[in-house]
Amino acid sequence: MVAIDWRALAERRLSRLTEVEHDIAVARDRLDYFQANYRTLLQQSEERLRQIQALERELDELRTARARARGALRRWILALPQRAKGLIRAMLRVALRLPLARPLARRLARLFPGLGNRLRASVNASQPTP
């Protein structure tokens, strides 16, 4: 029969238990460290998400403003011919009243043939009848 040295066995088990407890303590410290880092990263990601959402709202506002500006620019460009006609008519009216500017009125009438009849009618209407 083999004699068992209980004291040595108890010391080995106690030292192993101490090692395991130390390993558990180290693992708990690492877990606490990782949890703290996780919480920090989670807070940072939530803050970044809020920033992204604010930027998306600002981008939507800018897109809306751009669409409004495009519409206004398009309306302005489409209205240019009408404004040009009005400006030309006003210039012709002024030119018809000034004898020195009548050559300019003739040139404008040549550039815009459709206005020739109107120009003649305006000249005839502005001249006093004898």
Side-chain angles (χ1 to χ4, degrees):
M1 182 149 173
V2 178
I4 298 177
D5 186 6
W6 294 104
R7 181 169 275 191
L9 181 64
E11 284 181 18
R12 281 194 309 263
R13 287 189 176 176
L14 183 60
S15 67
R16 180 68 185 133
L17 182 61
T18 305
E19 289 173 6
V20 169
E21 285 177 347
H22 174 71
D23 291 344
I24 289 172
V26 169
R28 281 186 182 150
D29 289 343
R30 289 184 72 193
L31 180 62
D32 291 341
Y33 171 77
F34 288 134
Q35 285 177 338
N37 280 345
Y38 174 76
R39 281 191 293 273
T40 302
L41 291 173
L42 185 62
Q43 289 171 350
Q44 289 173 351
S45 85
E46 288 173 350
E47 178 60 30
R48 287 184 183 141
L49 180 62
R50 282 191 290 275
Q51 290 173 351
I52 288 170
Q53 289 170 341
L55 288 173
E56 285 176 345
R57 284 190 299 271
E58 187 176 339
L59 183 61
D60 288 340
E61 291 170 6
L62 288 173
R63 284 181 180 145
T64 303
R66 182 186 67 185
R68 273 190 251 125
R70 276 187 177 173
L73 179 63
R74 182 175 177 163
R75 287 188 298 276
W76 186 80
I77 288 172
L78 291 175
L80 276 177
Q82 293 296 73
R83 285 192 215 137
K85 283 182 184 178
L87 181 62
I88 291 169
R89 285 180 189 150
M91 288 172 53
L92 286 174
R93 279 188 216 115
V94 169
L96 291 174
R97 290 188 185 130
L98 302 172
L100 295 176
R102 287 193 180 166
L104 174 65
R106 283 189 205 105
R107 286 187 190 136
L108 286 174
R110 283 187 205 124
L111 284 174
F112 301 98
L115 295 176
N117 294 334
R118 289 183 188 164
L119 180 61
R120 280 189 216 97
S122 295
V123 169
N124 292 335
S126 65
Q127 292 178 350
T129 53

